[in-house]
Amino acid sequence: MSVAEQLKSEILKGVLPPGTWLSQTDLAARFGVSRIPVRDALQQLASERLVALVPGKGAQVIELDRDELSHVFDLRILLEGDLLRHAMASVTEAHYAEVRYALQKSALEAGRSGWIEGDWLFHSTLYAPAGRHRQVAMVEELRRNCIMYSVQYDKLIDETPSWLDDHEKITCAYIEKRADDAVNLLKDHIERARKCLLEAQTG
């Protein structure tokens, strides 16, 4: 695993929480490399908006206040709802098997260390028929911002049954070609995640 991949994993798993300062010197010593690959790794993470490069100070894991985090969810609702609607307008019967597999995979990973990958597999599989790769990449970036905060709160795991129930309902509407229902269910799903995360921050 590269330096960038290792740091990215630690950020998304909460090992390096938002606001953590990252020293090139310390990271070089830790990974047993020169500062050049560390610098390159931090620049890559900055391009993915996981860290911010601060002139004269180094790099810091990106930190969002409550309003900024709420705005991220606003964008997710707009972009993901649009993706889902376009996907359902283009989906083929053959793709439904992939959606069912992704649903089962996300359910198996729920509550485990691989839940991030399983959850994204489910959502990205839903959106794939839209063919809007740039928009999907934007959504993935926004979701990473949310994940950085959600992994800090063990209490969110208690909501796992409701998240999985949402996935089941969205899948049913998707396969039954009920676009309006599917989009509304997805919106409610993301809204509930926002409410739960913001409440956890204040709790």
Side-chain angles (χ1 to χ4, degrees), residues 122-153:
F122 172 71
H123 285 274
S124 61
T125 301
L126 290 178
Y127 309 148
R132 299 188 165 209
H133 307 298
R134 185 182 296 274
Q135 191 169 341
V136 169
M138 292 169 66
V139 167
E140 187 174 15
E141 178 185 312
L142 293 168
R143 286 172 58 88
R144 283 197 296 263
N145 290 151
C146 299
I147 289 167
M148 289 168 59
Y149 285 85
S150 64
V151 294
Q152 300 176 67
Y153 305 107

Side-chain angles (χ1 to χ4, degrees), residues 77-87 130 132 135 183 186:
I77 288 170
L78 289 172
L79 293 173
E80 294 189 54
D82 182 68
L83 276 171
L84 187 62
R85 194 174 293 280
H86 279 92
R132 299 188 165 209
Q135 191 169 341
V183 171
L186 177 63

Side-chain angles (χ1 to χ4, degrees), residues 2-5 7 24 27-29 31-45:
S2 69
V3 174
E5 289 170 339
L7 291 174
Q24 286 190 24
L27 290 174
F31 289 108
V33 297
S34 71
R35 292 178 61 177
I36 295 176
V38 172
R39 181 198 63 198
D40 292 344
L42 293 175
Q43 289 178 338
Q44 178 181 328
L45 295 176

Side-chain angles (χ1 to χ4, degrees), residues 13 105 109 113-122:
K13 290 179 179 178
K105 179 72 171 175
E109 298 294 347
S113 60
W115 74 268
I116 296 172
E117 291 81 4
D119 188 64
W120 178 234
L121 173 66
F122 172 71

Side-chain angles (χ1 to χ4, degrees), residues 98-117:
E98 296 180 32
V99 171
R100 292 190 183 94
Y101 170 80
L103 175 67
Q104 293 174 349
K105 179 72 171 175
S106 68
L108 288 172
E109 298 294 347
R112 302 180 182 180
S113 60
W115 74 268
I116 296 172
E117 291 81 4

